[in-house]
Amino acid sequence: MATATNVDDDLWNDFHRLVNMSSRELRDWLRTRSAEPDHEELPDQSGSDTGQHVLRLLGKRRSDVTAEDAALMRRVVRRIERERGTDPEPTAGDAPWRRRLMTLGHDPLKPI
């Protein structure tokens, strides 16, 4: 059952366990992914909308999480779990797979 903050203990803990990149690591990754030879996005606009939302969530207190934030947290947890499968051990996988996960704030080479 959700608390008044829209996030129950399981969702809060799963999100912060699976999103294993710090806000700085994720911000740097999103900027790197968005940089092009002739153009670089502004830092607060770089990366995907989902990646930017995850980055904002990392800076929020639990009491400030909205219903929209909680919905995104659920989607991110499900997607990371689906992509990772049942193996929690760090693994390299292929490069596109790792980049997709890192855009969500999960580096599969780091332990969870």
Side-chain angles (χ1 to χ4, degrees):
M1 175 189 316
T3 64
T5 63
N6 297 310
V7 181
D8 63 27
D9 290 340
D10 290 338
L11 177 57
W12 181 260
N13 293 334
D14 287 346
F15 179 81
H16 286 282
R17 176 179 54 85
L18 292 170
V19 175
N20 63 358
M21 295 171 69
S22 69
S23 56
R24 182 176 185 171
E25 289 171 324
L26 179 55
R27 182 177 53 252
D28 290 350
W29 171 250
L30 294 174
R31 288 184 72 190
T32 299
R33 292 283 296 160
S34 295
E36 297 176 11
D38 300 327
H39 172 75
E40 184 173 341
E41 304 259 346
L42 295 172
D44 61 340
Q45 297 173 356
S46 58
S48 68
D49 290 340
T50 300
Q52 281 295 321
H53 197 161
V54 169
L55 183 59
R56 286 189 302 276
L57 278 169
L58 289 174
K60 283 190 174 188
R61 294 182 313 230
R62 186 173 177 171
S63 60
D64 295 332
V65 172
T66 66
E68 179 185 345
D69 294 335
L72 178 89
M73 290 170 77
R74 280 186 212 83
R75 285 193 308 271
V76 166
V77 166
R78 281 193 308 263
R79 186 163 166 204
I80 292 171
E81 286 176 337
R82 185 178 62 242
E83 293 266 350
R84 284 298 310 242
T86 58
D87 183 15
E89 292 300 315
T91 182
D94 64 5
W97 174 77
R98 182 174 184 230
R99 288 191 297 266
R100 280 193 312 272
L101 286 169
M102 288 178 68
T103 298
L104 299 173
H106 177 79
D107 184 348
L109 297 181
K110 293 173 85 174
I112 37 181

